[in-house]
Amino acid sequence: MSTIKPTPAPTLRRLPKYLEYLHEAKRKGIASISCTTIANDLKLDSVQIRKDIGITGIVGKPKTGYNVDELIHSIEKHLNWDDMSSAILVGAGNLGKAFLGYENFKKYGLNIVVAFDKDRNKIDGNIFNVPILHIDKMVDLTYRMKIHIGIITAPADEAQEIAELMILSGIRAIWNFAPRHLDVPDNIYVENAELSSDISHIKRRLKEITDKEKKYSESN
Amino acid sequence: MSTIKPTPAPTLRRLPKYLEYLHEAKRKGIASISCTTIANDLKLDSVQIRKDIGITGIVGKPKTGYNVDELIHSIEKHLNWDDMSSAILVGAGNLGKAFLGYENFKKYGLNIVVAFDKDRNKIDGNIFNVPILHIDKMVDLTYRMKIHIGIITAPADEAQEIAELMILSGIRAIWNFAPRHLDVPDNIYVENAELSSDISHIKRRLKEITDKEKKYSESN
DNA sequence: ACATTATCGATATAATTATATCGATATAAA
DNA sequence: TTTATATCGATATAATTATATCGATAATGT
């Protein structure tokens, strides 16, 4: 059925973008929308949007487009945002704690239910209603709670060890914010947050832009 | 010369990964390394790595590979990590404050020198040695400091307005963590952090994995 | 000294992803 | 009621990205 073919990664990256836009449109009271309109506003290609949207299974009407509510529902269902997944977080430093209070994750169907740290000084009850426990308790608790998503916000040199513990805990997918490659079995999915990649993009493109401008001004 | 052709985005995404690996290798005392070795350890294709690395301009030696120091230098130079860029951050909430204390950014050549917020309650001197000022001061100060990179960690409905102020401030590249599409002129580069895309990937791939397992167990 | 091997850079092929085109159809206008 | 038009889904083409192949070469072993 819907899962014979995996959704292409670029599509998966764009779908949330459409969703954000569609929620905004809905708030403005727009009932139906076409790919052409979305493409104009987001400065993307309408054919690409139509294809991406089509993957989620919805069918549109010529001349009108799609019903906004149905479209939102179709995408959210495809992305599994409609059923809330529980997650654990390991590493209650600045970034980890910030995530515990980051409300948007819930919108995306991700609920951090408990956090762990190896530093007993950081284990001071709850932060944003999420309990912070010692890492010793992770494997047993996570396994019993049947949680399958783990977030690593610990320092790089602890990441591999944490990943291995997570796998013991029954974690199947790891969201890794530590700048370290994780060596895991094939049946474990790792999503690297790659803040460094973002910065690389920014710095390189900035260089490309300014170099080009310099060249242009020199040739005049 | 090196900037005639823009570096492909996938390459830009992988290069930091190699860097992290190479720094680790260097720490272990490894002096020279081949693409084959890197590929094995990172579970990637050696040809792809060779091509990515080649883009940065370095040449290797048959049978030996590359000198680790030179390779690190070549990549970091290509990514502009060697010259530190100053950045401003707008939105001193949980995430914003966490970033002010996130040491890794400096390693990637990004230095957040000042943060702004519209909420006067959040303007309480320095956090992690970074001053937090009222947003009223942003345009003038940023312009005078000739800062070209801006980070948005404010709520979604403030993002567009902040982006416009940033452009007035002389900002050329924006790293946007707010879940909102930014409408900016062509000459401004926007990198969207897309935490929601990461979550979409995780949730969908998890679904694809478990669906497949279910199917397999049913057919037995 | 010569053969063997690992690796490089370059080039060729395959796969994926993006964009363009086209007939069909629902709505709106004449 | 008929014609015009915007949009859809499907299909075809182009561009980008990934992978495979191959001759050249530096190090190593015989």
Side-chain angles (χ1 to χ4, degrees):
Chain A
M1 346 182 126
S2 72
T3 17
I4 330 171
K5 244 191 148 182
T7 308
T11 297
L12 236 32
R13 235 178 290 125
R14 285 186 296 262
L15 285 174
K17 199 142 200 158
Y18 306 154
L19 260 184
E20 182 270 315
Y21 171 88
L22 290 166
H23 277 294
E24 193 61 16
K26 188 185 172 176
R27 238 169 278 137
K28 285 179 191 154
I30 295 164
S32 72
I33 202 158
S34 75
C35 291
T36 318
T37 309
I38 302 176
N40 282 337
D41 290 345
L42 297 184
K43 287 172 185 162
L44 295 169
D45 185 78
S46 69
V47 180
Q48 185 173 71
I49 295 176
R50 197 171 298 122
K51 220 175 177 185
D52 287 340
I53 282 174
I55 287 174
T56 72
I58 198 172
V59 285
K61 258 195 267 183
K63 185 94 186 200
T64 333
Y66 307 83
N67 176 281
V68 172
D69 279 329
E70 287 173 18
L71 187 47
I72 287 174
H73 180 252
S74 178
I75 298 175
E76 290 194 341
K77 197 173 170 180
H78 190 78
L79 295 179
N80 254 27
W81 284 15
D82 55 346
D83 81 296
M84 188 65 80
S85 304
S86 297
I88 59 164
L89 180 145
V90 179
N94 295 321
L95 193 60
K97 278 190 208 155
F99 282 173
L100 299 184
Y102 195 59
E103 284 305 313
N104 284 317
F105 287 169
K106 289 210 182 69
K107 273 201 330 206
Y108 312 143
L110 189 79
N111 187 25
I112 304 172
V113 294
V114 52
F116 301 95
D117 204 290
K118 67 166 194 180
D119 182 354
R120 295 197 185 272
N121 292 322
K122 285 183 183 148
I123 298 158
D124 51 354
N126 293 13
I127 291 191
F128 301 111
N129 285 319
V130 180
I132 301 183
L133 307 177
H134 191 265
I135 188 120
D136 284 350
K137 301 195 172 143
M138 182 177 93
V139 176
D140 183 55
L141 192 60
T142 307
Y143 190 82
R144 275 168 36 214
M145 291 177 88
K146 295 189 184 5
I147 296 175
H148 302 300
I149 298 176
I151 305 171
I152 299 179
T153 45
D157 52 7
E158 296 169 22
Q160 179 63 37
E161 194 187 350
I162 291 169
E164 285 164 17
L165 284 175
M166 281 182 167
I167 294 168
L168 282 177
S169 311
I171 291 290
R172 305 297 305 271
I174 295 173
W175 195 10
N176 177 36
F177 284 83
R180 177 72 98 259
H181 171 77
L182 299 181
D183 200 0
V184 300
D186 281 350
N187 60 339
I188 304 294
Y189 179 73
V190 176
E191 176 77 33
N192 290 295
E194 316 277 21
L195 297 176
S196 59
S197 292
D198 280 8
I199 295 178
S200 298
H201 259 96
I202 291 168
K203 295 197 71 171
R204 177 111 265 260
R205 297 269 111 101
L206 204 53
K207 189 182 182 177
E208 285 168 2
I209 289 170
T210 47
D211 278 11
K212 212 160 122 192
E213 286 175 352
K214 215 192 301 178
K215 215 184 206 166
Y216 180 76
S217 70
E218 273 167 5
S219 69
N220 280 8
Chain B
M1 350 175 107
S2 73
T3 17
I4 330 174
K5 244 191 151 182
T7 306
T11 297
L12 237 30
R13 237 179 289 123
R14 284 186 298 262
L15 285 174
K17 200 144 198 153
Y18 307 153
L19 258 185
E20 184 270 313
Y21 171 88
L22 291 167
H23 276 295
E24 194 60 15
K26 188 185 171 175
R27 240 170 276 137
K28 285 178 190 153
I30 296 165
S32 73
I33 202 159
S34 76
C35 291
T36 317
T37 309
I38 303 175
N40 282 339
D41 290 344
L42 297 184
K43 287 171 184 162
L44 295 170
D45 186 79
S46 68
V47 180
Q48 186 174 70
I49 296 176
R50 198 171 298 121
K51 221 175 177 185
D52 286 342
I53 282 174
I55 287 173
T56 71
I58 199 171
V59 287
K61 258 196 268 183
K63 185 92 185 201
T64 334
Y66 306 84
N67 176 280
V68 172
D69 279 329
E70 286 173 19
L71 187 48
I72 288 174
H73 181 250
S74 179
I75 298 175
E76 289 194 341
K77 194 170 172 184
H78 190 78
L79 296 178
N80 254 28
W81 284 14
D82 55 345
D83 80 296
M84 187 64 82
S85 303
S86 297
I88 60 165
L89 180 146
V90 179
N94 294 321
L95 194 60
K97 279 190 210 154
F99 282 173
L100 299 184
Y102 195 59
E103 284 304 314
N104 284 319
F105 287 169
K106 288 209 183 70
K107 272 201 328 206
Y108 310 143
L110 190 79
N111 187 26
I112 305 172
V113 294
V114 54
F116 301 95
D117 204 290
K118 68 168 194 179
D119 182 355
R120 295 196 185 271
N121 293 322
K122 284 182 184 149
I123 298 159
D124 52 353
N126 291 13
I127 291 190
F128 300 111
N129 283 321
V130 180
I132 301 183
L133 307 177
H134 191 266
I135 187 118
D136 283 351
K137 301 196 173 144
M138 181 178 94
V139 177
D140 183 55
L141 192 60
T142 306
Y143 190 83
R144 275 168 34 215
M145 290 177 88
K146 295 189 183 7
I147 296 175
H148 302 301
I149 299 176
I151 305 170
I152 299 179
T153 45
D157 53 7
E158 297 169 21
Q160 179 63 37
E161 193 186 349
I162 291 169
E164 285 164 16
L165 283 176
M166 281 182 166
I167 294 167
L168 281 178
S169 311
I171 291 289
R172 304 299 305 272
I174 295 173
W175 195 10
N176 177 36
F177 283 83
R180 178 73 97 258
H181 171 77
L182 299 181
D183 200 2
V184 300
D186 282 349
N187 61 338
I188 304 293
Y189 178 72
V190 176
E191 176 77 33
N192 290 295
E194 317 277 21
L195 297 176
S196 59
S197 292
D198 280 7
I199 295 178
S200 299
H201 260 97
I202 291 167
K203 296 197 71 171
R204 178 109 262 263
R205 298 269 110 104
L206 204 52
K207 189 183 183 176
E208 284 169 2
I209 289 170
T210 47
D211 278 10
K212 213 160 121 193
E213 286 174 353
K214 215 191 303 178
K215 213 184 209 163
Y216 180 77
S217 70
E218 273 166 8
S219 70
N220 279 8

